[in-house]
Amino acid sequence: MSEVEARFAGPLVRPRKARVYIGWLIAAIVATTAVTQSISSGIASAAVAPVGLGSAASFAVLGGTTVTNTGATTVSGNVGVSPGTAITGFPPGTVVNGALHPGDAVAAQAHTDLQTAYTDAAGRTPATPVTTDLGGQTLTPGVYKAAAGMSLNGTVTLDGQGDPNAVFILQAGSTLITGANSVVALVNGAAANNVFWQVGSSATLGTNTNFAGSILALTSITVTTGVTMNGRFLALNGAVTLDTDAITLPSTPPPPTPTTTTVSAPAKATKDCAVTLRATVAPVPNGGTVQFQDDGVDIGSPVPVSATGVATLSYTFTTTGAHSITAIYSGTLAFDGSTSAPVTVDVEGGMWSGSSGSGGSSGSSEGCKPEHGS
C-alpha cells in the first residue's frame, strides 16, 4: 500500500470503529434508562400500610363546620360535624346503619382522629408522581401524588393485583375535582376501604360521579347531584355539601378461612425407590398449592390442590436414615395458608429380594420394596 493509500485507508477504518462505539454507548444509555424507569415504577407498588381512621371510620360523612343536604340523599353510616354543630337536610335525606352527630362527643373524637389520619396520609412517602387528570389510567397499589390539583375525567382503574389488602393513597396538592359521570373502578381485589384520597384544599365531585374510597379534605367537600359513593366524605376544617346522593360506608372483606394441612407418607421407604407423599387441606379450599419439604428443603415444585383438597407427589429418597416430611399450603384470597405437622419416614438401604418363577421354575428377583403403611 502506498503512502497516499495508507492515508486514505485510515479514515475509512476509524468511522466504523466510531459507529461501533456509539452503538455501545446508545445501548448502555437505553439499559440505564430502562433500569431507572423500572425503579421509578416500582416505588408505588411497594407494600403500603393503610391509613388509620380511628373512630372516623364509622362516619360516611363528617364535616368541620356544617353538613348540608338537599334532596333525597341516602347515607349508610354516621353523619357528623365537629367543631361545628349544624347538620341540615335530614330529612329529606335519610340515614341508615348510623346516626346524626351534630357537634357531640362522638363527632369531636372522630374529628380528632381525622386530623391524625390526614397528617398521616399527607406525609406518606415515597410517592409516584401522576399527571393532573387520572382519567384513563390504571394504578397499582402504592402512594401517588399530584403536586398541584388532581382531577378525574373518565375512569381511573385501581388494580389490586389479587390482593384484598392492597392499599392506594392518592395525594392531591390542592383540589380534587371530578367531571360528570367519572368513575373510580376497583378491580382484582382492590377494596374501597383501602383507598385514601388526601386533598390539600377542597374536593368537588361532578354530577353522577361513581366514586370509591375515603376523601380526606383539608377544607370542604362539595358533592353535586346523583353521586354514588362507596366510601367516606371527611372534611377537616370546612363543610360537606350533599345533593341527592347515595353514600355507603365501604364494606370490610371477610377474613380468610383458616385451614389445616396434614401430610401422610410411608413409615418406611427404600433408598432410590419412589414413594407417594400426600397432603390434605381442610376445609377444601378454592385452589392454592402445596410445597412438600424433606428436612426443611423444598421437594420439587409446588403441587396444585385438587377439587377434593388433596395434593400428591412421587418422591425418591437418595439417602438413608430418618427423613422429616412436611407440607406447606400456600393459601388463597379466601383461605389461609397452613403447614402440616411433620411425619418421619425411615429410609433403608438396599433393594428388596424375593423369589419368583413360572412354569415350575424358580429364581430370585430384585426391586423396590412395597410401600409400608404410614
Side-chain angles (χ1 to χ4, degrees):
M1 180 182 295
S2 67
E3 182 178 351
V4 173
E5 290 173 329
R7 279 185 171 181
F8 283 98
L12 293 175
V13 175
R14 282 192 288 270
R16 181 184 302 172
K17 292 182 178 179
R19 286 196 297 272
V20 172
Y21 173 76
I22 292 171
W24 288 343
L25 182 59
I26 292 172
I29 292 172
V30 170
T32 302
T33 302
V35 170
T36 302
Q37 290 174 340
S38 175
I39 292 173
S40 176
S41 63
I43 292 175
S45 60
V48 177
V51 175
L53 297 176
S55 62
S58 69
F59 282 80
V61 178
L62 180 63
T65 56
T66 61
V67 172
T68 303
N69 173 65
T70 301
T73 293
T74 60
V75 181
S76 177
N78 286 328
V79 176
V81 61
S82 182
T85 59
I87 298 177
T88 61
F90 293 91
T94 58
V95 176
V96 297
N97 302 316
L100 298 179
H101 294 276
D104 61 12
V106 174
Q109 184 59 56
H111 181 268
T112 297
D113 292 344
L114 175 57
Q115 175 68 72
T116 301
Y118 180 89
T119 302
D120 176 20
R124 293 297 186 95
T125 57
T128 297
V130 290
T131 57
T132 298
D133 190 356
L134 299 178
Q137 298 189 50
T138 297
L139 305 180
T140 55
V143 181
Y144 297 89
K145 183 170 186 176
M150 183 178 288
S151 64
L152 174 60
N153 293 285
T155 298
V156 61
T157 301
L158 305 183
D159 185 350
Q161 300 186 318
D163 181 5
N165 299 312
V167 173
F168 300 80
I169 298 176
L170 299 102
Q171 302 167 332
S174 57
T175 57
L176 168 65
I177 301 173
T178 73
N181 303 303
S182 293
V183 176
V184 177
L186 306 178
V187 300
N188 296 328
N193 214 33
N194 290 326
V195 178
F196 304 91
W197 303 79
Q198 177 264 318
V199 181
S201 59
S202 296
T204 302
L205 272 63
T207 56
N208 300 316
T209 291
N210 191 333
F211 208 81
S214 297
I215 296 180
L216 287 67
L218 182 63
T219 310
S220 63
I221 302 174
T222 300
V223 188
T224 60
T225 307
V227 169
T228 300
M229 174 56 144
N230 178 15
R232 305 173 179 89
F233 293 120
L234 308 174
L236 191 59
N237 298 317
V240 177
T241 304
L242 310 173
D243 184 356
T244 319
D245 307 302
I247 307 159
T248 305
L249 277 176
S251 60
T252 302
T257 302
T259 64
T260 300
T261 299
T262 56
V263 65
S264 61
K268 293 183 180 297
T270 303
K271 177 177 174 288
D272 298 325
C273 292
V275 298
T276 299
L277 308 179
R278 177 186 177 95
T280 303
V281 182
V284 176
N286 61 342
T289 60
V290 166
Q291 176 66 64
F292 291 93
Q293 291 189 336
D294 179 2
D295 291 333
V297 178
D298 289 350
I299 303 171
S301 300
V303 180
V305 176
S306 72
T308 58
V310 174
T312 60
L313 177 70
S314 179
Y315 179 56
T316 300
F317 293 97
T318 58
T319 59
T320 59
H323 289 251
S324 179
I325 303 299
T326 53
I328 303 172
Y329 171 57
S330 64
T332 66
L333 294 180
F335 290 84
D336 278 331
S338 55
T339 301
S340 73
V343 297
T344 300
V345 179
D346 185 13
V347 180
E348 303 169 340
M351 306 291 278
W352 173 71
S353 295
S355 59
S356 64
S358 62
S361 63
S362 63
S364 63
S365 63
E366 192 172 64
C368 290
K369 295 180 181 180
E371 292 186 15
H372 296 262
S374 57

